[in-house]
Amino acid sequence: MTGQSASPGSPFTSPITAELAAAGTRPIDRARFAAGGVLFSQRRAGQQGVGIFFSAGDDQPRDILPENLTAGSRVHEYGGGAWDCADDGTIVFVDRVSQRLYTVTPGTAPQALTDDSAGRVFFGDITVANSSSAHPSGTSSAPVFTAVREFRGAHPHDVVRDIVLIDPSADTPVRSLFPADWTGEDRPHFVAYPRLSPDAQHLAFIGWDHPDMPWDATRLLLADLDQQTLKPQGSPVAILGAEKRQSILQPEWLSRSTLTVSTDARGSWSVVSLDVRVFRDRALGTPGTPEAQVASVLDDPGEIGGPLWTLGSRWYLPVLDGQRIVAAAARDGIETQRTAALLWADSRPDEQGSGPFDFGADIDWAEIEDFRDTVALIRAGGRNRVDGLYTFDIASGELEPVALSIVLPESWSAIAEYLPRAEVREYSGIQAVWYPPRR
């Protein structure tokens, strides 16, 4: 324009190169302890699918899947829980492209467990059954798994879901844990979190129906199983959430008769326990059943739970044979410099109400993946910590990286000075996370 001229800008150099910015991130979406190391799933370099990597801690993690297979679920569209690992190293995973189930161990080639369904059958929320009794009579003692299965018909609304048992050693490796005649209105349209009880007599899971989302209202359901055959004995029954709307997430067994769940019945997600025998008999209308009440296990000013966008999310985990709980609580908007906390608590609090122990870990978010001995395996990140997979030793309080979502160059310390740090602020009553510039 006439009368105006361009002024030279101030010279500015940054250690954040175009190559580093273009590389993007490689998020980790699941991890488990395995014999001799850690297994985790992460997008491969070059964005060629998602691999399952094994890290022994002293060498470069190696992908145990061939390039033509990629771990990924498409159940509920958002997927989640594409694989799990048993103590003996057996892994069951679903291939994202074909949605076929496979089994594999580090050092062996994957073996298909299901046929190609031409896009009609999908699997997700794969979970190893932590039960020494979870083996149908006459079969080997090899580990078994549970999963959510989804059938899709020709019409977009023609979708049916159930929960299946996966036994890689069986002649028929996949079969339903729902009775064939369970077709009534009490059968939920969406299901998640299949959990076999330690004695293999019950299957716990959650369900919900449209238009609710899982953070609106879900029900906790219980199915009776034949301990010898693991076949369903009658239709599952809703034991919590049918009378009072609440978001119930992540059922976990403390013992063969006690379940814990995360519920927002009191306004925020916290962990409670319930006696499944009492709640089951109450739901069935059994005469003489005492009043069914939940017991508070782990309460926190934050949230031990959250929106279930992807299947298999873990906010807490019973450990040490169900005696303790390790949990991650989100504390966004609470008056604290940290926006997440790692907690340690007794799973059966005494009458004095001894509260959970806060480790004071410097993180902004976390999810619990696994636990072994005194070490928790977590996915975490924060304003002072790169998102990734970490081990947290509850005895020493040390937080050590296993794998990160980005590859850090040697000049990382200089780059860190240029990155903004999140601050929780409130604007006209609305909470927000602000990233002020630093350079």
Side-chain angles (χ1 to χ4, degrees), residues 37 133 135 205 270 290 318 334 346:
S133 303
H135 304 286
F205 60 99
S270 62
I334 297 175
D346 193 325

PDB file of all heavy atoms in Angstrom, residues 37 133 135 205 270 290 318 334 346:
ATOM      1  N   GLY A  37      11.074 -58.194  30.851  1.00  0.00           N
ATOM      2  CA  GLY A  37      11.000 -56.829  30.358  1.00  0.00           C
ATOM      3  C   GLY A  37       9.590 -56.281  30.372  1.00  0.00           C
ATOM      4  O   GLY A  37       8.751 -56.649  31.188  1.00  0.00           O
ATOM      5  N   SER A 133      -8.475 -70.851  37.867  1.00  0.00           N
ATOM      6  CA  SER A 133      -9.611 -71.732  37.613  1.00  0.00           C
ATOM      7  C   SER A 133     -10.221 -71.526  36.241  1.00  0.00           C
ATOM      8  O   SER A 133     -11.128 -72.260  35.854  1.00  0.00           O
ATOM      9  CB  SER A 133     -10.694 -71.501  38.682  1.00  0.00           C
ATOM     10  OG  SER A 133     -10.185 -71.697  39.981  1.00  0.00           O
ATOM     11  N   HIS A 135     -10.194 -72.335  33.211  1.00  0.00           N
ATOM     12  CA  HIS A 135      -9.849 -73.272  32.144  1.00  0.00           C
ATOM     13  C   HIS A 135     -10.964 -74.299  32.049  1.00  0.00           C
ATOM     14  O   HIS A 135     -11.223 -75.031  33.010  1.00  0.00           O
ATOM     15  CB  HIS A 135      -8.522 -73.971  32.431  1.00  0.00           C
ATOM     16  CG  HIS A 135      -7.387 -73.028  32.655  1.00  0.00           C
ATOM     17  ND1 HIS A 135      -6.792 -72.327  31.643  1.00  0.00           N
ATOM     18  CD2 HIS A 135      -6.768 -72.640  33.803  1.00  0.00           C
ATOM     19  CE1 HIS A 135      -5.839 -71.555  32.149  1.00  0.00           C
ATOM     20  NE2 HIS A 135      -5.805 -71.723  33.451  1.00  0.00           N
ATOM     21  N   PHE A 205     -19.097 -57.207  34.024  1.00  0.00           N
ATOM     22  CA  PHE A 205     -18.853 -56.279  32.923  1.00  0.00           C
ATOM     23  C   PHE A 205     -19.811 -55.107  33.072  1.00  0.00           C
ATOM     24  O   PHE A 205     -20.730 -55.131  33.903  1.00  0.00           O
ATOM     25  CB  PHE A 205     -19.032 -56.959  31.557  1.00  0.00           C
ATOM     26  CG  PHE A 205     -20.406 -57.518  31.297  1.00  0.00           C
ATOM     27  CD1 PHE A 205     -21.332 -56.812  30.541  1.00  0.00           C
ATOM     28  CD2 PHE A 205     -20.769 -58.768  31.798  1.00  0.00           C
ATOM     29  CE1 PHE A 205     -22.600 -57.328  30.289  1.00  0.00           C
ATOM     30  CE2 PHE A 205     -22.038 -59.293  31.557  1.00  0.00           C
ATOM     31  CZ  PHE A 205     -22.952 -58.576  30.808  1.00  0.00           C
ATOM     32  N   SER A 270     -14.985 -42.136  42.128  1.00  0.00           N
ATOM     33  CA  SER A 270     -14.193 -42.673  43.222  1.00  0.00           C
ATOM     34  C   SER A 270     -14.361 -44.191  43.232  1.00  0.00           C
ATOM     35  O   SER A 270     -15.267 -44.735  42.589  1.00  0.00           O
ATOM     36  CB  SER A 270     -14.629 -42.070  44.563  1.00  0.00           C
ATOM     37  OG  SER A 270     -15.985 -42.389  44.849  1.00  0.00           O
ATOM     38  N   PRO A 290     -29.954 -59.260  52.759  1.00  0.00           N
ATOM     39  CA  PRO A 290     -29.716 -58.000  53.480  1.00  0.00           C
ATOM     40  C   PRO A 290     -29.604 -56.826  52.522  1.00  0.00           C
ATOM     41  O   PRO A 290     -29.475 -56.997  51.309  1.00  0.00           O
ATOM     42  CB  PRO A 290     -28.393 -58.260  54.211  1.00  0.00           C
ATOM     43  CG  PRO A 290     -27.711 -59.321  53.409  1.00  0.00           C
ATOM     44  CD  PRO A 290     -28.821 -60.185  52.875  1.00  0.00           C
ATOM     45  N   PRO A 318      -6.144 -53.045  41.647  1.00  0.00           N
ATOM     46  CA  PRO A 318      -5.864 -53.793  42.871  1.00  0.00           C
ATOM     47  C   PRO A 318      -4.556 -54.564  42.708  1.00  0.00           C
ATOM     48  O   PRO A 318      -4.310 -55.195  41.676  1.00  0.00           O
ATOM     49  CB  PRO A 318      -7.054 -54.745  42.997  1.00  0.00           C
ATOM     50  CG  PRO A 318      -8.119 -54.188  42.092  1.00  0.00           C
ATOM     51  CD  PRO A 318      -7.363 -53.517  40.980  1.00  0.00           C
ATOM     52  N   ILE A 334      -8.219 -28.055  40.579  1.00  0.00           N
ATOM     53  CA  ILE A 334      -8.087 -28.011  42.031  1.00  0.00           C
ATOM     54  C   ILE A 334      -6.884 -27.133  42.372  1.00  0.00           C
ATOM     55  O   ILE A 334      -5.921 -27.043  41.611  1.00  0.00           O
ATOM     56  CB  ILE A 334      -7.913 -29.442  42.590  1.00  0.00           C
ATOM     57  CG1 ILE A 334      -9.179 -30.256  42.288  1.00  0.00           C
ATOM     58  CG2 ILE A 334      -7.639 -29.431  44.077  1.00  0.00           C
ATOM     59  CD1 ILE A 334      -9.080 -31.693  42.685  1.00  0.00           C
ATOM     60  N   ASP A 346      -5.090 -48.788  51.128  1.00  0.00           N
ATOM     61  CA  ASP A 346      -5.567 -50.097  51.562  1.00  0.00           C
ATOM     62  C   ASP A 346      -6.896 -50.359  50.867  1.00  0.00           C
ATOM     63  O   ASP A 346      -7.765 -49.486  50.812  1.00  0.00           O
ATOM     64  CB  ASP A 346      -5.746 -50.092  53.082  1.00  0.00           C
ATOM     65  CG  ASP A 346      -5.934 -51.495  53.647  1.00  0.00           C
ATOM     66  OD1 ASP A 346      -6.561 -52.331  52.964  1.00  0.00           O
ATOM     67  OD2 ASP A 346      -5.465 -51.751  54.776  1.00  0.00           O
TER      68      ASP A 346
END
